Amino acid sequence: MKKYLAPMRGLTEFVYRNAFSRHFEGIDVAVSPFITTVSGKISNKHIKDVLPQNNQGLPLIPQLLSKDPLGFINMAHKLFELGYQEINWNLGCPYSMVANKMRGSGFLPHPDKIDQFLSTVLEKIPNRLSIKMRLGRFNDDEIFSIIPVLNAYPLSALIIHPRTGVQMYKGVPNLNKFEKCLPLSRHHVIYNGDIRSPKDYHTICERFPSVDGIMIGRGLLSNPFILEIIDKPQVKLDYLRLKSFHDDLYNQYRSILSGSGHVLGRMKEHWKYMSQEFHQSQKILKKIQRTVNFSQYESSVLEAFSLQREKNITVRSLMGLSYFPPVQ
Ligand SMILES: Cc1cc2nc3c(=O)[nH]c(=O)nc-3n(C[C@H](O)[C@H](O)[C@H](O)COP(=O)(O)O)c2cc1C
């Protein structure tokens, strides 16, 4: 089962991807957080996150957010020149600022527009194209009008996050609707959403043996050992290894970002997820969120880790608590 790292803007850019690949195993390929397209000259600033020199760790598929075929074609060619034989089109972004402009999940109520876009773009780009999408923007049946459109095109994969755009991240993924999509699509389908424990992973694999892969985001940010544990159940979440990963990530941000505000801002976003696997997670997160300079941050982090080693805690994810409700 192929395992994809989910694109998460502000989190899984190249600093995270490189640090992850130095410390952990289990991801086969990463999809980059979205790049917006430009129709004119593309500078390195536009594509910094996917420049090959910044990406020596994990194989990468750059993701584009666009409703502009010309900008998309322009960017696709640039990425091909850089060596990217596959790119991904974002049809899932739920934020109204994006979706109201008919980008991301804003495309989903308009299968005719998706059709037009793909018919213009696909014959003019040298790359393979995969799509990452939700079930719909407003309701979870929109996908059933889209799949027949997509079936007419040679896509390399269809990554489905079975929520709607307006749902954002609330509620649970609609596995019943996802199941109905599988026999309808002629493309390789990748499942994405709420895999937070090895048990969640096995639930998905057992229920949907025809899926070609899974994509994982928040679950991996909370517990970067999760894929190693899936492959080798004897692996345990090891706080010393986690600390050395943390330090690497932190030092990389320090070396490329200017000013403590930017570095701490990034690290605090990571802690929203990482703290979930910590004993006294709320307390730890609050303390880290309050820090305003490097020395405060470093001492709070040290305290957080030393607390875990002293308590020798049992980690929630290793107890196999499932995030999914039982199958109806
Ligand atoms: C902070 C944040 C940023 C995200 N950025 C992107 C993005 O740039 N492109 C995209 O396709 N999805 C993005 N997503 C959605 C994730 O890729 C993924 O579909 C979602 O988190 C569900 O998977 P998970 O439960 O494994 O995290 C983002 C999600 C979050 C929470």
Side-chain angles (χ1 to χ4, degrees):
M1 180 77 69
K2 197 164 175 181
K3 300 185 187 85
Y4 289 68
L5 171 64
M8 292 181 70
R9 219 162 193 238
L11 291 154
T12 63
E13 279 83 0
F14 72 91
V15 171
Y16 178 86
R17 297 193 298 265
N18 291 339
F20 182 90
S21 74
R22 282 191 289 271
H23 294 264
F24 301 105
E25 288 174 7
I27 287 290
D28 298 305
V29 60
V31 174
S32 79
F34 68 76
I35 303 169
T36 45
T37 59
V38 277
S39 42
K41 190 169 163 33
I42 299 166
S43 74
N44 278 0
K45 215 177 100 211
H46 293 120
I47 50 172
K48 185 174 176 202
D49 183 42
V50 300
L51 289 173
Q53 60 266 35
N54 290 336
N55 286 280
Q56 301 299 318
L58 296 173
L60 184 66
I61 300 172
Q63 183 186 69
L64 305 186
L65 178 80
S66 182
K67 65 170 178 185
D68 162 31
L70 288 181
F72 194 97
I73 294 164
N74 187 32
M75 187 63 88
H77 278 273
K78 174 75 185 176
L79 293 170
F80 192 76
E81 280 165 30
L82 293 177
Y84 292 109
Q85 296 189 356
E86 180 172 341
I87 56 176
N88 179 268
W89 188 29
N90 179 324
L91 286 186
C93 186
Y95 294 101
S96 46
M97 252 166 38
V98 167
N100 286 344
K101 291 189 193 145
M102 229 194 66
R103 295 186 300 165
S105 69
F107 250 109
L108 299 176
H110 308 286
D112 52 326
K113 300 247 164 40
I114 295 176
D115 197 0
Q116 264 171 26
F117 188 94
L118 290 175
S119 76
T120 312
V121 153
L122 267 172
E123 58 184 28
K124 298 205 177 70
I125 63 171
N127 336 59
R128 293 192 301 276
L129 180 71
S130 59
I131 290 181
K132 179 166 179 281
M133 65 187 293
R134 291 185 175 231
L135 294 176
R137 181 174 183 205
F138 300 110
N139 77 68
D140 49 20
D141 285 329
E142 287 167 23
I143 194 166
F144 298 115
S145 311
I146 301 169
I147 287 178
V149 169
L150 302 185
N151 281 344
Y153 294 99
L155 303 175
S156 52
L158 192 56
I159 303 163
I160 302 178
H161 176 54
R163 283 190 171 92
T164 60
V166 289
Q167 201 183 343
M168 304 292 288
Y169 296 98
K170 292 195 283 283
V172 289
N174 190 333
L175 298 187
N176 292 337
K177 284 277 152 78
F178 177 78
E179 188 163 42
K180 290 201 176 114
C181 298
L182 291 175
L184 301 177
S185 174
R186 76 172 183 92
H187 299 299
H188 295 301
V189 174
I190 312 298
Y191 173 85
N192 166 239
D194 297 45
I195 295 179
R196 308 243 178 149
S197 70
K199 188 161 182 207
D200 292 338
Y201 170 83
H202 292 301
T203 303
I204 294 298
C205 297
E206 278 156 30
R207 181 160 171 196
F208 309 118
S210 70
V211 303
D212 287 279
I214 61 102
M215 172 179 266
I216 181 165
R218 294 168 297 172
L220 192 81
L221 289 174
S222 303
N223 179 359
F225 293 85
I226 184 169
L227 299 173
E228 292 185 15
I229 296 168
I230 286 166
D231 285 342
K232 298 185 204 118
Q234 71 276 17
V235 172
K236 298 271 178 275
L237 195 156
D238 172 343
Y239 286 94
L240 288 177
R241 265 182 77 193
L242 191 59
K243 175 72 166 55
S244 92
F245 166 68
H246 165 277
D247 292 355
D248 188 359
L249 190 66
Y250 173 61
N251 288 328
Q252 292 302 316
Y253 280 133
R254 284 193 70 163
S255 71
I256 64 152
L257 298 174
S258 60
S260 56
H262 288 123
V263 176
L264 297 188
R266 286 283 170 137
M267 291 311 298
K268 287 173 188 180
E269 283 304 304
H270 283 284
W271 274 101
K272 284 185 191 163
Y273 298 94
M274 208 154 61
S275 63
Q276 290 170 18
E277 293 294 341
F278 277 65
H279 181 63
Q280 300 192 9
S281 60
Q282 283 306 315
K283 190 177 146 196
I284 285 170
L285 181 61
K286 254 194 197 145
K287 190 151 187 199
I288 289 174
Q289 297 285 15
R290 272 197 233 109
T291 61
V292 295
N293 58 42
F294 291 138
S295 83
Q296 277 179 12
Y297 174 79
E298 285 163 24
S299 66
S300 303
V301 166
L302 208 58
E303 189 186 324
F305 277 99
S306 53
L307 200 63
Q308 309 314 307
R309 291 187 4 239
E310 278 162 22
K311 301 273 177 189
N312 192 22
I313 62 149
T314 319
V315 176
R316 178 173 49 84
S317 64
L318 299 186
M319 299 186 328
L321 291 178
S322 179
Y323 195 72
F324 291 109
V327 178
Q328 301 293 316

